[in-house]
Amino acid sequence: MFFRQRHMAYNAKPDKPDPIFAKMLQEPLGGQWGEISVMMTYLFQGWNSRGPQKYRDMLLDIGTEEIGHVEMLATMIARLLETSPVEAQEDAARNSLVGAVMGGSRIEDVLVAGMNPQHLIVGGLGARPSDSMGNPWTSAYTISSGNLLADFRFNVTAESQGRLQVARLYNMTDDRGVKDMLSFLLARDTMHQNQWLAAIQELEEDGLETTPVPSNFPQDLERTEVSYQFLNHSEGTESAQGRWAKGQAPDGKGQFTYVEHPPAYTEDEGLLNPVDPRTYGTPPKPVPPSAS
Amino acid sequence: MFFRQRHMAYNAKPDKPDPIFAKMLQEPLGGQWGEISVMMTYLFQGWNSRGPQKYRDMLLDIGTEEIGHVEMLATMIARLLETSPVEAQEDAARNSLVGAVMGGSRIEDVLVAGMNPQHLIVGGLGARPSDSMGNPWTSAYTISSGNLLADFRFNVTAESQGRLQVARLYNMTDDRGVKDMLSFLLARDTMHQNQWLAAIQELEEDGLETTPVPSNFPQDLERTEVSYQFLNHSEGTESAQGRWAKGQAPDGKGQFTYVEHPPAYTEDEGLLNPVDPRTYGTPPKPVPPSAS
Amino acid sequence: MFFRQRHMAYNAKPDKPDPIFAKMLQEPLGGQWGEISVMMTYLFQGWNSRGPQKYRDMLLDIGTEEIGHVEMLATMIARLLETSPVEAQEDAARNSLVGAVMGGSRIEDVLVAGMNPQHLIVGGLGARPSDSMGNPWTSAYTISSGNLLADFRFNVTAESQGRLQVARLYNMTDDRGVKDMLSFLLARDTMHQNQWLAAIQELEEDGLETTPVPSNFPQDLERTEVSYQFLNHSEGTESAQGRWAKGQAPDGKGQFTYVEHPPAYTEDEGLLNPVDPRTYGTPPKPVPPSAS
Amino acid sequence: MFFRQRHMAYNAKPDKPDPIFAKMLQEPLGGQWGEISVMMTYLFQGWNSRGPQKYRDMLLDIGTEEIGHVEMLATMIARLLETSPVEAQEDAARNSLVGAVMGGSRIEDVLVAGMNPQHLIVGGLGARPSDSMGNPWTSAYTISSGNLLADFRFNVTAESQGRLQVARLYNMTDDRGVKDMLSFLLARDTMHQNQWLAAIQELEEDGLETTPVPSNFPQDLERTEVSYQFLNHSEGTESAQGRWAKGQAPDGKGQFTYVEHPPAYTEDEGLLNPVDPRTYGTPPKPVPPSAS
Amino acid sequence: MFFRQRHMAYNAKPDKPDPIFAKMLQEPLGGQWGEISVMMTYLFQGWNSRGPQKYRDMLLDIGTEEIGHVEMLATMIARLLETSPVEAQEDAARNSLVGAVMGGSRIEDVLVAGMNPQHLIVGGLGARPSDSMGNPWTSAYTISSGNLLADFRFNVTAESQGRLQVARLYNMTDDRGVKDMLSFLLARDTMHQNQWLAAIQELEEDGLETTPVPSNFPQDLERTEVSYQFLNHSEGTESAQGRWAKGQAPDGKGQFTYVEHPPAYTEDEGLLNPVDPRTYGTPPKPVPPSAS
Amino acid sequence: MFFRQRHMAYNAKPDKPDPIFAKMLQEPLGGQWGEISVMMTYLFQGWNSRGPQKYRDMLLDIGTEEIGHVEMLATMIARLLETSPVEAQEDAARNSLVGAVMGGSRIEDVLVAGMNPQHLIVGGLGARPSDSMGNPWTSAYTISSGNLLADFRFNVTAESQGRLQVARLYNMTDDRGVKDMLSFLLARDTMHQNQWLAAIQELEEDGLETTPVPSNFPQDLERTEVSYQFLNHSEGTESAQGRWAKGQAPDGKGQFTYVEHPPAYTEDEGLLNPVDPRTYGTPPKPVPPSAS
C-alpha cells in the first residue's frame, strides 16, 4: 500500500519552455532505460521475491523511490511544453496555435518540424508515457526472473544505460533548471550502480548465488568441454588478446582456452523429414491431392 | 561478410516429437533472452564499436557463433513438430489432421489444447521467430549503446537470464536428445557469462571505463550529496542490513549512508501553469470560447 | 456485406500540399483515437452484439459511416503529399527528389527534417495506417466487451478524445480546404458524442444495464463497506472538496464518505513462500545443487 | 514523492495454488483494463493536470491507491503459482519439474498444457506484467489528454470494463481466498465508477467543460447541418427506434433527426493527381526512365 | 462512402460451439494473413492509387468485399463461443461459469486449459481482432507503396498464405457448418490469387511496370556486374542446380551466373572513427573527463 | 554454423556525415522491407524447409548473404553519424554537444530538429535496429509457412518493395559514397527479384506446387461457383476492363466472369443467440441478478 507526499523528490523546473528538448527528455521517462522501466522492474522483483527479506525490502525501497523520479520527469516535460499565460494572451490575435505554443518567434517552423506532434495533439502539452521517438513504453522492459543474481545484473545494467543517457542529455541543453534536475538523477544513478554492485557481492557472500547463474544447476550436466572455450568465428585474431581467451575464468572453476578454428561438434546438417501432406508444406517430391 | 558451414554447431535431434515442448522451446529461440536477442545484440555492438579492435573482433566472433545457436534451436523445434512419414501414411484414413500430427494417441485433445496453433496454421510445423506465448521477437531486445561497459553489463545479464531459462527447460523434459542439446547451450552460457565478466575486468584495466558509467562524465557536476545515500522509501528497515547501506561503495569513491527518513529536496509540488486555451486543456477557471 | 459509393462523404481537398501537416493528420487517421479505431470498434461491437436489434443496427450504421471517414482522411493526406504534375515537370532538372516533392522552396530543409520519411520511402506519397509519430495502428484500440454500457462509455470517450484532437489540429493550419474537412469531422463528432450519451440513457431506461457495470452482478457479494469510500492516499485534502467525497453516489445506491487516513484492511505483508529449488529462484537460504 | 506501507491494502491469499487461474488473473493485472493501466492513467492525468487543484489531488489519490492494487494482484498470482516447501520436498525424487510444480496429480498434463509457460520459464513462478494471453502491457493504455472531461469519460469506462472482467473471473473459481480479494476489487470499482461519474458532474457544474468536448471550441465553426443527424448506413431501420434518432440531444443544443438515405455531401470521388515520377509510384500512363 | 447490406456474403453458422476451434479461427480473422489484413491493404492501395482508374476501382471492389469476409469470420467465432439459452438455463444451479460455457461435459478442464481466456474475460464470448495466439492485429500488415507491381506481388502472396491457412484449418474440424464457410473462403482465395496474377500481367502489358521493380529507375545506375550473379554463401553446391543459377533471367535483361566463391567487392573492413568524447562511447584510448 | 570474413561485401563509406539521411537509411536496415527482414526470412525458410535440397541450400545462401547487407548498412549509418576527431577537437570550446555532433554549422537547429534523437541518446551515434520512424524491427516481418510457393511469392515482393525504397533513397542524396553503396544494393535486388521469379518457375516445373496455393488441396471441396467470379462491390465499372474480369484465369482451370451486382449467398443476417447471463453481456431483455 502506497502513499504520496506533497513535495517532489527534487526540483523539476526549467528556465524556459523548449519543446524539442521535451521530445528528447521522453527517453529517460518512457524509454527502454527510463524511469518507468526501473520503477516497474524493482517493484515486480520485490513483489515476486522469495529470498531473504533484506533484498525484498531494498527492492521495494528503490522501486518506490523511482515512482518519484517518474513524477519529476513528467513534471519537467509538462513545463518544457508550456508558455506563460501572459504570452498566450498576447498571441490571442494570431490565427495559428503554433505561434502561441512556440512564443511566436521566427524559428517557429523549425520548432514545429522538430517537436513531437503528440505532445500537442494527444497529450495537450503534457508528458507522454513514451520514448523520444514516440514508441509507447512496454512492460517487456520489466525484468523479474525470480533469480536475484540474474536480476541484479540487469539492474546494474539499467542504471548504467540510464546514467549514460542522462549524461548525453546533460550536454544537449544550456537550461540551468534542466541541468539541475539532471544532476540529481545522475547522482542517484551513481548510487544505484554502486548499490546493485554491492548487492551482487552480498548475494555471493550469503552463498545464495554465484557464477554461472543459476549456480544451483549441477554443472556436470552441461557439456563441460566447451564451458571455457573461446570460439573464434571471424577472420582475424585480435580477440585472442583479451583475458577472456586465456587464464582462469572469473568463476574460478575453469581455464579459458582460445580455439582459433572451432569444429562442428556434430555431423548433423539439420535436414528435416517430410511431414504429413495435409499440412501443405512443400514435400521433397510431388504428392497427390489430399483427401478431406 | 558471412559464410555458412554445412554442419550445425551441435546436435539438435530429439528422441521423438513433442509439440507442447516445442511451444516452450520457443522461449530460448525467440524470447527476450533467447538466441536471436544475443545474436543481434553482439553483432550490432560489434558493428557500432569505436573502441579497441580486440573488443570489436570478440563481439563479432560471439555474435557469429550465436547465429549457429539460432539455427540449432530452429532445427530442434521443427523436429519436435514432425511425425515420421510412416505414421502419416498410417493415419491417412483418419479425417482429422490433428490425429495425424499428434500420432493419434488418446491424449490428442490435451495436446491440441496445449500446442501453439501458429506452429501448424502459420508455420506449417516449422519454428517461429517468437517466444513461448507467441509474442514476435522485437529488436527492442537488441542493446547497443556505444559504451562498452554499459553494454557488457547487459551481456552478462543476457547470458545469466538465458542460462536460467535453459536450466528450467532442462528439468521439464525427459527427452535425451533435447537434454543433450540443452547441455551444450548451458555450457556455452557458462563460457559467455565468464567471458563478459572477464571483458569487464579488461575494460577497467585498460582504463577505458569504470563505475559509475559513464566514468568520463565529470562527477562533480552531479548532486554529490545524494550519490552514496540509501534512501529508505518503505516501512521496515530490513534494507539497512545489506552492504549497500554502509561501508565503502564498490567504485571506491564514496561511503554508503542509510537515510531512514529521506527528505524531499525541494519545496516544489509540481503544480503546472495554465496554458493557451486553444489547446483545450482544462484550465483552473472557465474561459470563453476560442476564436479560430 | 458492404458496398462502396463513388462519392466520398465530404470534401477532402486541401488548397495546397503540406507534408508536415500531413504527418500531423495521421493522428486522426491511424492514431489511438482516430477513425480506424472507431470504425473497427463499432463494427466489432455490432457483430458481437447479443442485445436488442436497435443497438446492433445502430452500431453497424455508425461503424459503416466511419469507413467513409477513413477514406476522407486517407485521401486528404495523399493530396497534402502531392505536387502538381506541372511543378514536377519544372523540377525535372534538379538532381534531388526532395526539391521536387517540396516545390523547391528555400525552406525545403526544414520540411525534409520535419516530414514523416515513411510518407515518401514506404508509402510513395500516400497515406499510412499509422499515427503522427509513425506507430502502426493496433487492434488493441478496438474495444468490444459484450456489455453495451461498458462499451458505450468507451464510445463517448472515443468521440471526445477524437473531437479534441481534431479541434487542436484545426488551429494548426490556415489551409481552407483542410479546415473545411475538419469542420465536417467536428460536427459528426458532436453528433456521435450526443448519440452515445443518448444510447446510454436508452440502455438504462430499457432496464438492460445501470451503474455499477455489470449491474447484473449481485452487489452483496462485493466487500460493501468500501463501495462508497473515497480513500485519501496523498498529502493534502483538496480532494475532499469534490462531490465524489460526500453526498449520494450517482448510482443512487450509497453515500460517499471521505477517509482521510485509509487503513490497510489486512495484516498480510505479501511475503511469499520459498518454492521448488528446481526453478532456480533465489531461496531464503542456500540449497544444495539440484539433481536432474 | 512516494512511500510504501508494510501491509497490503487487502488480503491476497488463495486457498491453494492454481496455475491456470494464475494465467487468467494476469488480465486484471497487466491487461488493457487492468490495474497497471489505471495506476498509470490516473498518475499521468494528475501530473499533467492544469485545472483546479481538487481534481489533481483526487487523481493522485486514486492513482496512488491503484499501485497498491497492482501489488495485491501480483502477490496473489505469485501465490497461485507456488507449492509448499513440503510438497516440493516430497517430489524430490521425481525427474520432472512439472510434477513438482503441479503437485504430481494425474491431471498434470492438462495443467501444463494450459498454464502460461512464461510463468515458469521467464518469471520463475512470479507474476508477469502482461495480460492473460501474454501480451506485454503497453503504455498505449495510458490516457492523458489534458482535457479532464475527455479523460474522466475514459476513466469511467476503465472502471466499467475492469469491474466487468473481475465479475467474470469471480465466476470462474471456487477458491474462497481468490473470491475474497476479488470482492474487494469489485467494491472499489463500484466506488470508482461512481467517483468518475460524480467528477463529471462536478466539472460541468464548475463550468469547466460540457458536451461536446472540447466545449471551448466555437461550435459555429463546425459544419452544423450534420451536427445532430443520425445517418443510416445499413439496410434496415431498427436504429430509428432509439432516442439517438429523435428529440433533443443530451447537450441541449440541437434536435436529433434520422436520415434514412444519407447523401454524399460532395462530388469529390477522391481521385488523386499523378506525382513526380522519381517516387516510382504507378502513373496513369507509362513514363520514360528517370534520371538521377 | 460505404453502405452495409443486411445479409452476409455467405453462411457462417457452425453445427455447435467449439471454443478451441474459435481460438484457432482467430488466425484467418485477425492474423497477419487474415481478412482484416487484406481488407485494409486493398482499401489503402485503392485510396492511395495514382494509376489508371481500372486498378483503383478493382482495388476498392475487392477491399470492400473483404469487409464482408471479416464480418463472416467474426460472426462464426461469436457463434462458436455460444451455448444455447436452454443449456445456460439448465446449468443455472452450477456454481462455476466454466461449466455453463462449455456445456458441463467432463472434458471441461481440457477446454478451459485450451481456450483463449480473452474470449471470455475481455470479449464476453465475442470475436477478437487478434490472431490465434492473442497478438493484436497491427497495421504493419497493411502494405501500400504507391507502386502497383510491388503491391500486387504482395497481394498474390497474401491470398496464397491466406488460402494455405484456411486449408490447414479445414482439416482440423469435422463441423460441417464451419467447413461450409471455409469452402467459400477457399474459393474466393482461388479467385483472388488468379485475379492478382492477371492484374500483374495487365500492368506489364500496359507498359506501366516490369521486372525489376521499379522499372523506371535507370538500370545503368546500379552496379550491373552483380545484377545477375548467384552468390554461393554456404557449403555445398546444391543451389547450382536451379534455374536461378544459369540461363536467361526472367526479366529478359541478363544471364544468370553462378559464383561458387563470391569475393568481397571492397577492402573496407567497416572500422569506425572515434567520436566526440562527450557522447561517452568507448574510445580507442582513455580520454580525460569531459567538461560540461 | 557460420563464419565471418574480415572484409565487407561492398563499400559503405559516405563522403561526409549526414544525420538526417542516417535517419532515413534506417528504413532499408530495420524497416519492414529492410535487410534484417530478408535475412531472417530466408534463414527461417531454409531451416524450416522440408522440400528438395536445392531450395534449402539456395535459401541459406541468400540468407547468409543478407547478413552481410545488414553489416554494410549498419556501418554506413554509423559513419553518417560521426564527425572526425579533428572537428570534435575544434569544437571543444563550445558548450553544446549538438554543435560538435553537427559540425557547428549554422543550420544545426534544423539538423537537431530533424535527426533521430535515439541515434545520439540511445545508440551513441551507432546504427539502430529500427526503421526510419523509430519503430523497432519485429519478427512479424519474418515469413516462413512451410509452403515454398507461398513463401517465394513473398520473397519476390520483399525484393520489389526493398528495391523501390532504395531507389527512392538514391534520389534523396548527393553523397557519392552513399550512392555507390545503394547502387550495389539495387543490383542485388535486381538479381534477387529475378532469382525468386526463376525459383517459382522451377517449383512449378518440378510439379511441387501450382496456383492456387496450396495446389494439393482438393479443389472440388471449395465452393467452386465463386472460384472465378469477379464481384463488383463499388459504384462504377472501370474494374470490368481488366483481364481479371474475363478470359481464362492464369491457373488455366477456370474462366473469369464479371458479376456487376453480386448477390448475398445466404439469408443469414449474422444475428447471435443470447448467452449465459453470468458472462454479463447485454441480453435482449433484462435478466435478474446472477447468483455466484
Side-chain angles (χ1 to χ4, degrees), chain D residues 67-84:
Chain D
I67 313 176
H69 293 190
V70 174
E71 179 179 51
M72 284 162 57
L73 273 162
T75 302
M76 175 62 87
I77 289 171
R79 286 168 170 171
L80 283 167
L81 290 168
E82 77 191 359
T83 54
S84 74

Side-chain angles (χ1 to χ4, degrees), chain A residues 212-255:
Chain A
V213 169
S215 50
N216 196 35
F217 181 85
Q219 206 166 342
D220 61 328
L221 292 177
E222 69 184 33
R223 187 76 147 88
T224 49
E225 55 272 55
V226 297
S227 295
Y228 297 94
Q229 285 182 346
F230 185 92
L231 303 178
N232 180 44
H233 277 75
S234 64
E235 267 192 330
T237 55
E238 289 89 344
S239 59
Q241 300 162 18
R243 44 185 301 170
W244 49 78
K246 57 183 173 296
Q248 195 184 43
D251 67 5
K253 301 172 188 165
Q255 295 287 319

Side-chain angles (χ1 to χ4, degrees), chain C residues 1-9 29 36 39-40 43-44 47-48 50 53 56-57 60 64-65 67-68 70-71 74-75 77-79 81-82 120-130 135-140 142 144-146, chain E residues 1-9 29 36 39-40 43-44 47-48 50 53 56-57 60 64-65 67-68 70-71 74-75 77-79 81-82 120-130 135-140 142 144-146:
Chain C
M1 200 173 174
F2 293 77
F3 290 94
R4 179 176 175 277
Q5 171 181 302
R6 188 175 277 274
H7 297 143
M8 292 193 295
L29 172 57
I36 298 176
M39 169 186 98
M40 291 287 281
L43 290 175
F44 267 80
W47 291 324
N48 285 334
R50 299 174 187 279
Q53 206 164 339
R56 184 176 190 270
D57 186 31
L60 293 171
T64 307
E65 179 185 353
I67 312 176
V70 174
E71 179 179 50
T75 302
I77 289 171
R79 285 169 170 170
L81 290 168
E82 79 190 2
L120 175 55
I121 306 171
V122 181
L125 303 177
R128 300 269 305 149
S130 309
N135 299 297
W137 186 87
T138 159
S139 71
T142 304
S144 171
S145 73
Chain E
M1 201 174 173
F2 293 76
F3 290 93
R4 180 175 174 277
Q5 170 181 301
R6 188 175 275 275
H7 297 144
M8 292 194 295
L29 172 57
I36 298 176
M39 170 186 98
M40 291 287 280
L43 290 174
F44 268 80
W47 291 325
N48 285 333
R50 300 175 187 277
Q53 206 165 338
R56 184 175 191 272
D57 187 32
L60 293 170
T64 307
E65 179 185 352
I67 312 176
V70 173
E71 179 179 51
T75 303
I77 288 171
R79 286 169 170 170
L81 289 169
E82 79 191 0
L120 175 55
I121 306 170
V122 181
L125 303 177
R128 299 269 305 149
S130 308
N135 298 297
W137 185 88
T138 160
S139 72
T142 303
S144 171
S145 73

Side-chain angles (χ1 to χ4, degrees), chain F residues 38-46 59 63 66 155 159 196:
Chain F
V38 286
M39 169 185 99
M40 290 287 281
T41 289
Y42 302 154
L43 290 174
F44 267 80
Q45 286 180 13
L59 282 160
E66 303 288 7
N155 298 353
E159 300 289 346
W196 297 119

Side-chain angles (χ1 to χ4, degrees), chain F residues 14-278:
Chain F
D15 293 345
K16 59 177 186 309
D18 182 345
I20 291 182
F21 198 77
K23 177 175 73 175
M24 293 178 180
L25 209 51
Q26 288 287 154
E27 195 66 39
L29 172 56
Q32 179 161 18
W33 301 110
E35 300 290 351
I36 299 176
S37 294
V38 286
M39 169 185 99
M40 290 287 281
T41 289
Y42 302 154
L43 290 174
F44 267 80
Q45 286 180 13
W47 291 325
N48 284 334
S49 172
R50 300 175 187 278
Q53 206 164 340
K54 65 182 170 186
Y55 296 108
R56 184 176 192 272
D57 186 31
M58 183 264 281
L59 282 160
L60 293 170
D61 277 335
I62 181 172
T64 306
E65 179 186 352
E66 303 288 7
I67 312 176
H69 292 191
V70 174
E71 180 179 50
M72 285 162 56
L73 273 162
T75 302
M76 175 63 86
I77 289 171
R79 285 169 170 170
L80 284 166
L81 290 168
E82 79 191 2
T83 53
S84 74
V86 178
E87 286 175 337
Q89 204 67 27
E90 290 170 354
D91 287 328
R94 299 174 59 92
N95 68 351
S96 154
L97 174 62
V98 168
V101 172
M102 301 311 166
S105 77
R106 305 190 61 176
I107 58 164
E108 71 182 34
D109 286 331
V110 175
L111 293 174
V112 172
M115 79 177 288
N116 175 337
Q118 294 189 325
H119 269 158
L120 175 55
I121 306 171
V122 181
L125 303 178
R128 300 270 305 149
S130 310
D131 69 19
S132 64
M133 287 296 276
N135 298 296
W137 186 88
T138 159
S139 71
Y141 302 153
T142 303
I143 304 303
S144 170
S145 73
N147 183 294
L148 291 185
L149 184 45
D151 286 355
F152 289 175
R153 285 173 170 174
F154 177 82
N155 298 353
V156 72
T157 304
E159 300 289 346
S160 303
Q161 302 276 357
R163 192 171 183 274
L164 177 62
Q165 296 187 355
V166 173
R168 286 167 174 165
L169 285 162
Y170 188 92
N171 284 333
M172 294 192 75
T173 180
D174 293 328
D175 188 299
R176 287 164 306 166
V178 173
K179 274 178 170 336
D180 183 35
M181 185 191 73
L182 297 181
S183 76
F184 182 79
L185 295 177
L186 283 158
R188 293 310 293 156
D189 288 351
T190 294
M191 171 61 195
H192 292 156
Q193 278 186 41
N194 277 287
Q195 174 181 332
W196 297 119
L197 290 171
I200 287 171
Q201 290 174 14
E202 183 101 343
L203 264 182
E204 292 177 338
E205 288 168 15
D206 285 352
L208 290 174
E209 194 74 48
T210 57
T211 301
V213 170
S215 51
N216 196 37
F217 181 84
Q219 205 166 344
D220 61 329
L221 294 177
E222 71 185 31
R223 188 77 149 86
T224 48
E225 56 271 54
V226 297
S227 295
Y228 297 94
Q229 285 183 346
F230 185 94
L231 303 178
N232 179 44
H233 277 76
S234 63
E235 268 193 328
T237 55
E238 290 89 344
S239 60
Q241 300 164 18
R243 41 184 307 171
W244 50 76
K246 57 183 173 294
Q248 194 183 43
D251 67 5
K253 300 170 188 167
Q255 295 287 320
F256 285 131
T257 56
Y258 184 82
V259 182
E260 187 170 351
H261 299 292
Y265 288 92
T266 182
E267 293 298 305
D268 187 347
E269 297 185 10
L271 304 182
L272 305 181
N273 288 322
V275 285
D276 191 316
R278 285 164 296 178

Side-chain angles (χ1 to χ4, degrees), chain A residues 1 50 71 82 129 137 139, chain D residues 1 5 50 71 82 129 139:
Chain A
M1 201 174 173
R50 300 175 186 279
E71 180 179 49
E82 78 190 1
W137 186 86
S139 71
Chain D
M1 200 173 172
Q5 170 180 302
R50 300 175 187 278
E71 179 179 51
E82 77 191 359
S139 71

